[in-house]
């Protein structure tokens, strides 16, 4: 009968560490907070408009992603996948942390008021509870990132667990914010210079995505004549130079009096103002430029080995 409850490695079929470990506790907290948020929003808190849809989509996506990760980890089925499991899980946790942070700011900003709305105080109280649970979910995902992050002096196998790898996730998230602002009536097609900036944002995002996908898929062997860590540094240097040019060109062609306006037009509609979108793009261009510079600095100290086979 012992063979019926043991796998081929002589251990239990289920991964007990998926439950009885700090990492397992963090994921269980993620599931609990995600379930609570979704239940309260659909029950009485409610959501509406593009901001509400974004928050609900973020919570649902992160909850579904955590369910899949927890199930694969608990059953050890990740060993059947041709991926680097550690890189995948820390990438998912970092991305979910950013999504939860954004939703935890956007939802109360647009849906929580100090006075009771027409529907009564129950709705407001539910929305406050949603915000609290969303913040707790953010801490749970952040705890997973902290638990999986490579420590100084530790042998680095998973690139995404390093500071440089986590910065890649943040860079991609910031780029998505830039794309959202560009799509919100930014009038970027008026000048060839601003079109160049859009090309820079898209190219750098694609290059960052390629590095992340290669790492998650375990393809960290030499790229042509370059070791993977040097390939990452070359890509990051190129992205720094491109973002530097875009961070200079975009504000000039959007806020200089010759091409645009340095001040927000008084007649500009709230929520659909091209000037606001241009400002968002300019601010987050500088943010991403700083992230790429920090990434380049940290990349100089990374030496890691390839890890195609997932952790068993």
């Amino acid at each position: 009968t012992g063979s019926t409850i043991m796998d081929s490695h002589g251990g239990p079929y289920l991964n007990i560490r998926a439950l009885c470990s700090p990492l397992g506790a963090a994921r269980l907290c993620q599931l609990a907070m995600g379930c609570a948020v979704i239940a309260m929003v659909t029950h009485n808190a409610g959501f509406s408009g593009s901001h509400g849809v974004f928050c609900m989509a973020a919570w649902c996506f992160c909850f579904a992603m955590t369910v899949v990760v927890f199930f694969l980890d608990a059953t050890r089925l990740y060993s059947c996948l041709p991926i680097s499991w550690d890189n995948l899980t820390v990438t998912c946790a970092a991305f979910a942390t950013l999504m939860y942070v954004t939703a935890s700011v956007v939802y109360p900003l647009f849906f929580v008021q100090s006075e009771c709305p027409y529907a009564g105080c129950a709705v407001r109280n539910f929305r406050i509870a949603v915000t609290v649970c969303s913040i707790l979910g953010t801490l749970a995902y952040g705890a997973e990132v902290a638990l999986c992050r490579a420590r100084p002096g530790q042998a680095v196998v998973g690139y995404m667990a390093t500071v440089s790898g986590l910065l890649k996730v943040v860079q991609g998230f910031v780029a998505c914010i830039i794309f959202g602002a560009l799509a919100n009536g930014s009038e970027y097609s008026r000048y060839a210079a601003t079109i160049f900036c859009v090309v820079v944002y898209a190219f750098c995002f694609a290059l960052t995505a390629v590095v992340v996908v290669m790492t998650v898929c375990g393809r960290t062997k030499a790229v042509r004549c370059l070791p993977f860590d040097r390939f990452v540094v070359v890509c990051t240097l190129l992205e720094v130079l491109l973002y530097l040019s875009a961070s200079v060109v975009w504000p000039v062609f959007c806020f200089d009096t010759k091409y645009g306006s340095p001040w927000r037009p008084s007649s500009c509609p709230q929520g659909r103002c091209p000037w606001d979108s241009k400002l968002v793009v300019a601010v987050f261009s500088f943010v991403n430029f700083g992230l790429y510079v920090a990434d380049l600095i940290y990349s100089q100290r990374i030496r890691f080995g390839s890890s195609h086979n997932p952790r068993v």
Side-chain angles (χ1 to χ4, degrees):
T1 57
S3 61
T4 61
I5 60 174
M6 310 293 279
D7 66 6
S8 60
H9 297 285
Y13 283 121
L14 296 181
N15 183 11
I16 305 303
R17 291 185 65 255
L19 293 172
C20 304
S21 68
L23 183 59
R27 287 176 180 163
L28 287 175
C29 184
Q30 296 163 12
L31 292 173
M33 292 302 103
C35 188
V37 166
I38 295 171
M40 287 189 290
V41 171
T42 55
H43 171 63
N44 206 4
F47 65 97
S48 60
S50 58
H51 299 95
V53 171
F54 165 78
C55 293
M56 192 60 177
W59 290 322
C60 291
F61 176 79
C62 293
F63 179 75
M65 184 171 60
T66 305
V67 168
V68 173
V69 169
F70 182 80
F71 178 79
L72 292 176
D73 195 21
T75 58
R76 290 195 178 96
L77 289 177
Y78 62 80
S79 59
C80 302
L81 303 176
I83 58 173
S84 174
W85 178 248
D86 291 330
N87 281 315
L88 176 64
T89 53
V90 73
T91 301
C92 291
F95 180 73
T97 302
L98 296 173
M99 295 287 284
Y100 257 78
V101 166
T102 307
S104 299
V105 173
V106 171
Y107 190 81
L109 186 63
F110 286 93
F111 296 98
V112 178
Q113 300 175 352
S114 58
E115 301 84 10
C116 294
Y118 68 91
C121 291
V123 174
R124 183 200 62 178
N125 294 339
F126 266 102
R127 291 177 175 178
I128 293 175
V130 167
T131 303
V132 172
C133 289
S134 183
I135 293 173
L136 293 176
T138 303
L139 296 177
Y141 282 108
E144 180 176 350
V145 174
L147 290 170
C148 297
R149 187 175 67 86
R151 302 295 188 271
Q154 180 181 359
V156 179
V157 175
Y159 170 73
M160 297 306 300
T162 66
V163 173
S164 181
L166 295 173
L167 284 173
K168 286 282 187 284
V169 180
V170 183
Q171 293 158 9
F173 187 79
V174 172
C176 290
I177 298 176
I178 293 176
F179 294 144
L182 289 171
N184 190 30
S186 62
E187 301 177 345
Y188 65 85
S189 59
R190 292 182 61 183
Y191 304 105
T194 51
I195 294 177
F196 162 78
C197 294
V198 175
V199 173
V200 167
Y201 301 141
F203 176 79
C204 292
F205 175 78
L207 199 57
T208 299
V210 166
V211 172
V212 173
V213 170
M214 289 177 64
T215 306
V216 170
C217 293
R219 303 293 189 258
T220 55
K221 294 182 180 180
V223 180
R224 294 292 181 179
C225 60
L226 292 176
F228 185 76
D229 48 357
R230 182 169 295 182
F231 170 74
V232 171
V233 171
V234 171
C235 291
T236 306
L237 176 59
L238 177 61
E239 290 162 335
V240 167
L241 297 176
L242 289 174
Y243 254 92
L244 175 61
S245 62
S247 299
V248 173
V249 171
W250 182 269
V252 170
F253 280 83
C254 290
F255 305 115
D256 187 82
T257 53
K258 183 178 179 181
Y259 306 101
S261 173
W263 302 281
R264 189 180 191 276
S266 57
S267 59
C268 211
Q270 191 71 26
R272 294 292 299 178
C273 182
W275 193 91
D276 293 343
S277 298
K278 294 174 183 177
L279 180 63
V280 170
V281 172
V283 170
F284 282 97
S285 293
F286 284 109
V287 170
N288 235 4
F289 172 68
L291 291 173
Y292 277 113
V293 170
D295 189 1
L296 183 63
I297 294 173
Y298 278 105
S299 297
Q300 301 300 309
R301 297 181 291 181
I302 294 179
R303 298 293 185 273
F304 61 96
S306 61
S307 177
H308 177 74
N309 297 325
R311 171 175 50 86
V312 179

